[in-house]
Amino acid sequence: PTADELSSRDWRSDERASDLSSGINAEYGGGLHFFNPVPVMKLLEVVKTNETSPETLSALATFGKKLGKVTVECSDTPGFIVNRLLVPNLAEAIKMLERGVASAKDIDTAMKLGAGHPMGPLQLADYVGLDTCLFILQGWSTKYPDVELFKVPETLEKLVSEGKLGNKSGEGFYKY
């Protein structure tokens, strides 16, 4: 498809893109992963499979650029690029908290000042939504039960079960 065909197509999403864990629709042969909030976030992951033609890949990237996005290409893998790196990092921060390695505040401060991150992993998990983090990890751990990085931290399950979803509920790892 051309970029114009892509932009005129009636798109709908059957699941949250961040939970896509290999399974791009074969009919289209590729995918787009936008970041929230879409109007603000500049990045767009253009996802390819073994069946993605160069023309489709080019059309997807062109479409993203027409939207003012910076595009990166990646293969169809759980979480694509950003969430594949990010979500296990958030989970490990929660597991460090569970093990008593450091407080939430100290984990976040360490990553902000030591790694130059704009916010720490627990603050970011609250921002993303603890229910969203849980949803992603549950999907991945179900599909890939032997991958340790995808194991769901007990604290995450507990907070979500208590309705503590982060910023959107007013409480998560922090009170807002």
Side-chain angles (χ1 to χ4, degrees):
T2 67
D4 289 334
E5 289 170 336
L6 286 170
S7 63
S8 65
R9 183 170 284 148
D10 181 24
W11 293 98
R12 70 182 235 285
S13 175
D14 293 328
E15 58 187 311
R16 287 188 261 198
S18 56
D19 183 50
L20 289 177
S21 52
S22 298
I24 294 297
N25 187 328
E27 178 185 348
Y28 304 118
L32 299 171
H33 180 215
F34 293 85
F35 294 83
N36 283 320
V38 175
V40 175
M41 300 299 282
K42 298 285 185 200
L43 184 65
L44 177 63
E45 292 175 323
V46 178
V47 185
K48 61 186 175 183
T49 68
N50 292 335
E51 291 78 36
T52 305
S53 70
E55 296 79 19
T56 296
L57 193 60
S58 176
L60 289 168
T62 299
F63 174 67
K65 289 173 185 164
K66 278 186 170 184
L67 297 175
K69 302 296 181 186
V70 173
T71 62
V72 294
E73 293 178 14
C74 66
S75 296
D76 186 17
T77 188
F80 312 127
I81 298 171
V82 173
N83 286 337
R84 179 64 181 260
L85 292 169
L86 177 65
V87 174
N89 175 264
L90 301 180
E92 181 58 23
I94 298 167
K95 292 172 189 173
M96 288 178 71
L97 184 65
E98 289 175 343
R99 292 190 302 266
V101 172
S103 69
K105 181 179 182 229
D106 286 345
I107 290 169
D108 282 348
T109 298
M111 290 306 292
K112 287 189 283 190
L113 300 180
H117 292 191
M119 67 177 74
L122 300 172
Q123 183 184 7
L124 182 55
D126 277 352
Y127 179 78
V128 167
L130 300 184
D131 55 333
T132 300
C133 295
L134 179 61
F135 178 83
I136 294 167
L137 284 168
Q138 285 175 332
W140 291 355
S141 65
T142 297
K143 190 163 185 176
Y144 304 99
D146 297 329
V147 178
E148 188 63 34
L149 284 174
F150 299 163
K151 301 286 186 212
V152 179
E154 291 177 18
T155 299
L156 182 59
E157 291 179 312
K158 180 180 183 296
L159 288 170
V160 171
S161 72
E162 294 171 352
K164 297 176 181 174
L165 309 179
N167 294 36
K168 62 179 132 185
S169 70
E171 186 175 355
F173 290 102
Y174 299 97
K175 289 189 179 187
Y176 299 91

